[in-house]
Amino acid sequence: MDYNTDRTPLLMPEYGRNIQQLVEHCKTLETKEERNEMALAIIEFMGQRNPHLRDEENYKHKLWDHLFIMANHQLDVDSPYPVLAAEDLITKPRKMDYPSLDNAYKFYGKSILQLIEKAIAMEDGDEKEALIHVIANNMKKSYNVYNKEHVQDDVIFRHLKELSDNKLDLTSLESLERSKIYYAANRNNNNRNNNNSRNQNGNGRSNFQNHKNKRK
């Protein structure tokens, strides 16, 4: 009985034992011409066994890399791509740079800082004022979520002033509830609630009238 434990280890099990044996046989061929011809045939067979690789970018290059891995990097053939060396598999990838915020208020996030920069660059007017109020309201939400506590508006105004290098100042505003953004949002909510109430009352009167007509 030929057990798997007695066989050559599968370096890439997803290709199966047959392809692994073909690669081992290719290594034993005497001439490079024969090895090149068989390597091309193995690549085609590998592509047929794993058609999902065709959806990936440079899938042919990946097949050749897999071929050299299965050959334990001991296959002397002409590859159309740079030959994958064993050292390439153990080289650590370059450390990714993680964006960091150079201030004490990291909980506001980078998007708030980008909005602050945009507001600073805008010309004075209603549009800039509205954006500043939007920024302050979002800062308050972020602060409350991160610190799990209610924050006073004057703290938000102070943070906004610091983050904008004193270029955006809402300290003259008593609270965010007095901003135009707050009033506009409340007005829309009140109108929506009033419309819903009128609709409900109208439906109630209509249902009552229909009930009276049925009794007649």
Side-chain angles (χ1 to χ4, degrees):
M1 181 72 69
D2 187 15
Y3 294 101
N4 284 336
T5 54
D6 298 328
R7 296 179 177 180
T8 304
L10 289 177
L11 299 178
M12 297 200 70
E14 58 267 35
Y15 287 103
R17 176 70 59 183
N18 291 335
I19 292 182
Q20 179 73 51
Q21 290 175 340
L22 289 174
V23 174
E24 294 297 328
H25 178 67
C26 183
K27 291 164 59 177
T28 64
L29 296 178
E30 295 183 0
T31 66
K32 195 170 188 178
E33 183 179 354
E34 291 177 314
R35 292 194 298 272
N36 285 338
E37 184 178 355
M38 186 168 186
L40 290 173
I42 293 173
I43 290 293
E44 290 298 324
F45 190 25
M46 291 167 60
Q48 294 174 8
R49 291 289 301 273
N50 294 272
H52 62 279
L53 290 177
R54 299 185 180 185
D55 298 331
E56 299 183 18
E57 187 178 0
N58 298 326
Y59 86 98
K60 280 282 190 181
H61 192 173
K62 292 182 179 181
L63 291 178
W64 278 95
D65 286 345
H66 294 172
L67 174 65
F68 286 109
I69 292 174
M70 286 188 287
N72 201 20
H73 308 279
Q74 297 174 355
L75 181 61
D76 182 19
V77 294
D78 295 325
S79 170
Y81 305 98
V83 177
L84 180 68
E87 294 76 15
D88 297 332
L89 298 178
I90 60 176
T91 302
K92 291 184 178 180
R94 181 180 62 85
K95 186 177 180 180
M96 296 292 293
D97 295 329
Y98 190 82
S100 60
L101 301 178
D102 298 327
N103 60 70
Y105 310 123
K106 295 180 174 60
F107 47 84
Y108 289 130
K110 192 173 182 179
S111 58
I112 289 293
L113 298 181
Q114 291 172 339
L115 287 174
I116 289 176
E117 292 178 359
K118 183 175 182 180
I120 292 174
M122 293 176 64
E123 296 182 359
D124 293 339
D126 292 340
E127 187 175 356
K128 180 174 182 176
E129 183 181 357
L131 178 57
I132 296 173
H133 291 161
V134 168
I135 294 172
N137 275 285
N138 280 280
M139 288 174 62
K140 185 173 183 178
K141 293 177 183 177
S142 297
Y143 187 103
N144 291 337
V145 170
Y146 183 84
N147 295 286
K148 294 181 173 54
E149 62 181 15
H150 183 71
V151 59
Q152 298 297 324
D153 291 343
D154 60 323
V155 175
I156 298 299
F157 299 155
R158 188 174 69 251
H159 291 177
L160 176 61
K161 190 174 181 180
E162 292 179 16
L163 291 173
S164 64
D165 294 330
N166 299 325
K167 295 177 182 178
L168 302 180
D169 190 356
L170 286 179
T171 54
S172 61
L173 193 67
E174 293 183 13
S175 69
L176 287 173
E177 294 181 357
R178 294 183 178 275
S179 70
K180 294 179 181 179
I181 297 297
Y182 179 86
Y183 279 130
N186 274 348
R187 186 166 56 250
N188 292 335
N189 289 333
N190 291 334
N191 291 338
R192 192 179 300 110
N193 292 334
N194 291 335
N195 290 335
N196 291 336
S197 298
R198 284 196 294 269
N199 291 336
Q200 291 175 359
N201 293 335
N203 291 335
R205 286 194 297 269
S206 176
N207 291 337
F208 178 73
Q209 187 64 39
N210 291 336
H211 180 69
K212 287 179 62 178
N213 292 336
K214 289 180 179 180
R215 293 183 64 182
K216 292 179 180 180

